[in-house]
Amino acid sequence: MVNGPGREIAVVATARTAVHESFEGPEAVLVMECVNDLLGRTGLDRRDVDFTIAGSCDYLAGAPFAFVLNLDGVGAWPPVYESHVEMDGAWAFHEAWLRLQCGDVDTALVIGSGRSSPGRPREVLALQTDPYTMAPLGLDPVSLAGLQARALIDAGKATERDLAEVAARARPGSGAGELLRAPYWSAPLRRHDVARPADGAAAVLLAAGDRARRLTGDPVWVRGVDQRIESHHLGLRDLTDSPSARLAAEGAGAHDGPLDVAELMALHSHEEIILRAALGLAGTTVVNPSGGALRSHPAMATGLVRVIEVARRIAAGEAERGLAHASSGPCLQHNLVAVLEGDR
Amino acid sequence: MARACAVIGIGQTDYRKRLEVTLDGLVRWAALEALEDAGLTFADIDAVLIGKAPDLLEGVMAPELTLAGALGAVGKPIHRVHTAGSVGAATAISGVTMIQSGRYDRVLVVCYEKQSEGNATWALSGGKSGGQGAGGTFAPWIRDYIRRSGAPEHIGRRVAVKDRLNALRNPHAHLRIQDISEEKVKASPMLWDPLRYLESCPSSDGAAAVVLASGDAARRSRGVPAWVIAHAKRSELASFPGRDPVRPRAGVECAEALYAEAGITDPLRQIDCAELYVPFSWYEPMWLEGHLITPEGEGWRLTDSGATELGGAFPVNPSGGVLSSNPIGASGLVRCLEAARQVRGTAGGHQVDGARVALGHAYGGAAQYFAMWIVGSEPDPAFG
């Protein structure tokens, strides 16, 4: 079974790089920028960090063991206690939160980083599909997202205008009417309905209990984190719903109190509509005030950035309680939810 | 301190070229065997963890997505660890922390590699032809070890023969060379001086799995527990002028942290056997020294004395080790689960008599990632 909350863990500092369409330097430099920022902000020495965990993806760089070079950005000398998930940094955040609950480490550095620019993301991401039956067809996540958006519209759960309104909120200065005149990209999705993978990094410093209170006057407590996956086979799923997001929200305790803000990692406009319903977000919850992943998508950091956006709003006193969501895989196959709360 | 954790189920496939089975079938084989061993089904599992080496080896990106169904993970948490060659042991340790966190009671950990799906040498060379491969990276450091320690040249051959003889007692092992001998190793082609063909690991397909449980869940389980007494991980930079790749500081500090947590003060005496990650023969004496099992310069002497043979005072790789089977992403978990088999007394033909405390170890990258655990037949053994 999944047991209740353990030791109190808080986000004590956050960092993120600018998001580059094409960053010319190595990924380790993006990582280093975040790590130095966090250490500077908290006054910690590298040696004060008990545990480090990063999320990244070899395939974006097109090189095996690409993540090894990111250790240079962590500054792993003297040696560090660390681990790595081949996933978005949001999943590294989940493992770090569990690690801190074991009680023997008090601080954890969580990193997410990625560079999409070296490759052609649609072709690269097609390799996320079943290698025997789907990948040889070149079925990529944007095409699959088009199928999901079509299913949503056919089920009467959304219209093309609803999609355009989601996209318009992510693009200040644009209106739904104008966006609806754009040509299709992967029908019924238009270019602006699809997040554009970019290069960037993000990082979070977590600390437990009193250590968190000593490190910052504005700890943002992580009340729950959960993540769930669905079948890879689209024929086995109701594409107009996201049961895994719902389960993750329940597991994270999302509905134990009102949610002032939610940052959802929707890489396609229609996903925000599915997620709002599956997560049961009330009309009073402000969704994606940052503009979300449609505005900025530093792959493998995008999910962790959702955590950072919510944590920053809570630390600034703009919200008391919030939900951060990350997704992975085609058609929202895998979803993570974290619930954050202020100290006020 | 964190709550107790035990291995209550173990599963593994045979390690060889597995063209008759899909990736899904391969991982499911190991997972189902581990569940059966524990007397459980997928319904009893709270979370799933997978580990493997680079995605480029099979050409499947983010394989937790495609394998979720085969691993009974639908509706559950799953995450994917990747820490180079150490990944199998690192994934096991991530699984232990999930139990120790208090949040989950039973976690399924599955690691695999299916090298026949792709071209591992191409992938390990960064997608370029003519790469130096792992042996090319390690050979200069091995030469430096030989120079520093004064080890005689037959030590590597001795390890190669010892592990291959052990493999003949392990039905899962890939290389089963009936007439293995030091002469045969010496006559095999030189790959990366001083490493010959028969001093190197094979390319294998295979999957391995363990079911981890909290102390309470372990006591309620049918599976015989192997208690996780301690675990440690350390990583260091790959390359800079002050680094010593022959005796990496991360390896030394990892071992120090491990023994301190376990309460071990004399590993050679207090640990009954070890599964060390030895993909090239000379890494046995190097890691005996680099992980403080023997003093510096003494590792090769222990090997030469026969103490590391099955039946010796400190058996190393009774299963046949990585030299006999290397499904890369799984190899570290195989070391950890073989250590667990020893303390459960279920290692079959390669059982070390009376093993109560065993070490499982893996390393990766440019000998810069280290992950280790110590398991025991008792949750809190006293080390006299």
Side-chain angles (χ1 to χ4, degrees):
Chain A
M1 62 173 281
V2 179
N3 302 308
R7 202 177 179 206
E8 284 206 310
I9 315 294
V11 174
V12 296
T14 61
R16 53 181 297 196
T17 66
V19 177
H20 307 263
E21 193 174 326
S22 176
F23 180 69
E24 289 180 355
E27 194 170 311
V29 168
L30 297 169
V31 171
M32 182 184 286
E33 199 180 305
C34 287
V35 173
N36 287 343
D37 188 359
L38 285 183
L39 295 177
R41 233 174 250 270
T42 53
L44 289 179
D45 184 85
R46 242 166 261 278
R47 288 161 223 222
D48 299 327
V49 176
D50 297 332
F51 179 65
T52 299
I53 184 162
S56 68
C57 179
D58 278 0
Y59 244 113
L60 292 180
F65 303 118
F67 73 93
V68 171
L69 302 172
N70 290 347
L71 263 188
D72 289 16
V74 174
W77 189 262
V80 294
Y81 176 21
E82 65 97 45
S83 198
H84 174 256
V85 298
E86 187 80 356
M87 307 180 82
D88 188 288
W91 272 264
F93 178 84
H94 185 211
E95 186 174 329
W97 180 69
L98 294 169
R99 184 70 192 84
L100 284 166
Q101 288 181 33
C102 295
D104 57 335
V105 302
D106 291 334
T107 52
L109 168 64
V110 183
I111 302 161
S113 65
R115 286 180 69 227
S116 302
S117 61
R120 288 185 291 272
R122 279 184 76 160
E123 289 174 30
V124 171
L125 291 166
L127 297 170
Q128 287 185 338
T129 54
D130 178 83
Y132 306 104
T133 61
M134 291 165 79
L137 303 175
L139 210 51
D140 65 71
V142 178
S143 308
L144 295 170
L147 291 177
Q148 187 178 36
R150 174 65 65 204
L152 197 69
I153 290 170
D154 287 353
K157 293 184 175 182
T159 63
E160 290 192 28
R161 174 162 286 274
D162 294 335
L163 270 53
E165 282 170 1
V166 171
R169 281 200 304 280
R171 300 160 64 93
S174 67
E178 164 202 345
L179 294 183
L180 279 170
R181 287 194 290 276
Y184 288 122
W185 174 259
S186 179
L189 299 175
R190 298 175 164 86
R191 187 68 191 86
H192 54 253
D193 291 314
V194 180
R196 191 187 293 266
D199 303 349
V204 163
L205 192 75
L206 289 170
D210 292 340
R211 190 72 193 278
R213 291 191 182 87
R214 284 198 299 275
L215 282 167
T216 175
D218 301 306
V220 176
W221 301 101
V222 185
R223 295 300 186 204
V225 186
D226 201 351
Q227 44 102 0
R228 304 297 175 108
I229 199 165
E230 289 172 50
S231 172
H232 185 63
H233 297 284
L234 301 186
L236 294 175
R237 293 171 53 191
D238 174 359
L239 289 179
T240 68
D241 192 9
S242 181
S244 61
R246 184 178 298 114
L247 279 174
E250 284 167 13
H255 303 296
D256 295 348
L259 293 162
D260 304 319
V261 62
E263 280 280 343
L264 310 181
M265 183 175 156
L267 297 179
H268 307 88
S269 301
H270 70 277
E271 291 173 2
E272 184 182 309
I273 297 166
I274 293 171
L275 288 166
R276 277 175 185 262
L279 296 170
L281 295 181
T284 52
T285 305
V286 178
V287 174
N288 285 351
S290 70
L294 284 175
R295 186 178 299 167
S296 154
H297 177 28
M300 299 302 139
T302 308
L304 189 60
V305 167
R306 306 279 69 75
V307 175
I308 291 174
E309 290 289 349
V310 172
R312 286 185 174 180
R313 280 177 171 77
I314 292 172
E318 295 165 18
E320 286 181 13
R321 191 164 184 275
L323 178 153
H325 160 269
S327 68
S328 173
C331 297
L332 294 172
Q333 189 192 342
H334 196 181
N335 292 281
L336 177 146
V337 169
V339 175
L340 308 179
E341 247 177 48
D343 216 5
R344 285 157 230 276
Chain B
M1 198 27 220
R3 66 179 184 162
C5 175
V7 177
I8 59 164
I10 290 173
Q12 50 183 333
T13 65
D14 289 349
Y15 304 116
R16 51 179 166 80
K17 192 172 276 203
R18 301 297 301 269
L19 296 176
E20 79 287 12
V21 64
T22 59
L23 280 159
D24 299 48
L26 195 73
V27 297
R28 192 170 171 85
W29 179 286
L32 286 173
E33 191 175 286
L35 287 167
E36 188 182 346
D37 185 24
L40 301 174
T41 69
F42 282 120
D44 301 307
I45 296 298
D46 302 324
V48 180
L49 257 175
I50 72 168
K52 68 174 295 303
D55 289 6
L56 278 81
L57 289 185
E58 292 89 358
V60 184
M61 181 185 185
E64 72 278 4
L65 300 170
T66 61
L67 298 177
L71 291 172
V74 170
K76 292 178 184 172
I78 183 169
H79 80 268
R80 152 82 188 288
V81 177
H82 178 18
T83 64
S86 64
V87 62
T91 310
I93 291 170
S94 289
V96 175
T97 66
M98 290 178 80
I99 298 288
Q100 291 183 332
S101 73
R103 191 124 175 108
Y104 303 103
D105 292 329
R106 294 183 196 88
V107 171
L108 173 66
V109 177
V110 183
C111 295
Y112 71 94
E113 206 74 71
K114 196 161 191 297
Q115 296 194 56
S116 62
E117 295 281 332
N119 183 332
T121 302
W122 177 84
L124 288 171
S125 303
K128 300 182 283 288
S129 58
Q132 64 192 6
T137 300
F138 296 137
W141 302 336
I142 289 167
R143 287 199 297 273
D144 198 25
Y145 169 75
I146 293 169
R147 180 187 60 78
R148 281 196 222 177
S149 68
E153 65 167 16
H154 72 270
I155 297 296
R157 299 196 286 272
R158 190 156 186 157
V159 173
V161 171
K162 185 250 309 171
D163 283 6
R164 268 55 177 273
L165 286 174
N166 290 349
L168 293 173
R169 296 162 167 267
N170 176 6
H172 295 298
H174 184 170
L175 294 186
R176 311 181 63 78
I177 309 170
Q178 300 293 337
D179 60 342
I180 190 73
S181 66
E182 288 191 32
E183 295 69 37
K184 195 172 164 101
V185 176
K186 193 173 182 178
S188 68
M190 181 66 81
L191 296 183
W192 306 273
D193 194 1
L195 293 169
R196 292 182 183 275
Y197 179 73
L198 284 176
E199 289 176 271
S200 308
C201 55
S203 286
S204 315
D205 297 349
V210 293
V211 177
L212 299 171
S214 65
D216 287 346
R219 286 186 193 91
R220 287 197 305 271
S221 143
R222 187 185 80 188
V224 180
W227 298 94
V228 180
I229 294 166
H231 58 80
K233 288 188 74 217
R234 291 294 183 274
S235 312
E236 71 184 36
L237 300 174
S239 174
F240 66 96
R243 178 171 123 92
D244 181 358
V246 176
R247 187 182 174 83
R249 185 166 161 186
V252 171
E253 292 186 3
C254 189
E256 284 173 347
L258 183 79
Y259 304 148
E261 189 187 332
I264 285 173
T265 50
D266 182 354
L268 188 58
R269 196 170 54 80
Q270 294 165 330
I271 296 172
D272 298 317
C273 59
E275 284 277 342
L276 303 181
Y277 202 101
V278 177
F280 301 99
S281 59
W282 281 93
Y283 268 101
E284 176 176 304
M286 288 172 75
W287 290 147
L288 288 170
E289 296 176 29
H291 300 331
L292 312 176
I293 295 164
T294 72
E296 207 164 352
E298 301 290 316
W300 69 264
R301 292 180 198 277
L302 195 74
T303 294
D304 206 25
S305 75
T308 62
E309 292 171 10
L310 191 52
F314 189 85
V316 175
N317 293 332
S319 71
V322 180
L323 275 175
S324 305
S325 313
N326 190 21
I328 301 176
S331 292
L333 183 60
V334 178
R335 308 281 71 70
C336 288
L337 71 77
E338 284 290 354
R341 289 179 79 194
Q342 291 291 344
V343 301
R344 293 170 102 198
T346 59
H350 58 278
Q351 178 69 45
V352 173
D353 283 343
R356 291 174 53 250
V357 176
L359 168 65
H361 156 274
Y363 82 104
Q368 62 186 124
Y369 290 91
F370 297 87
M372 312 178 189
W373 80 7
I374 287 176
V375 285
S377 54
E378 301 295 327
D380 194 14
F383 296 107

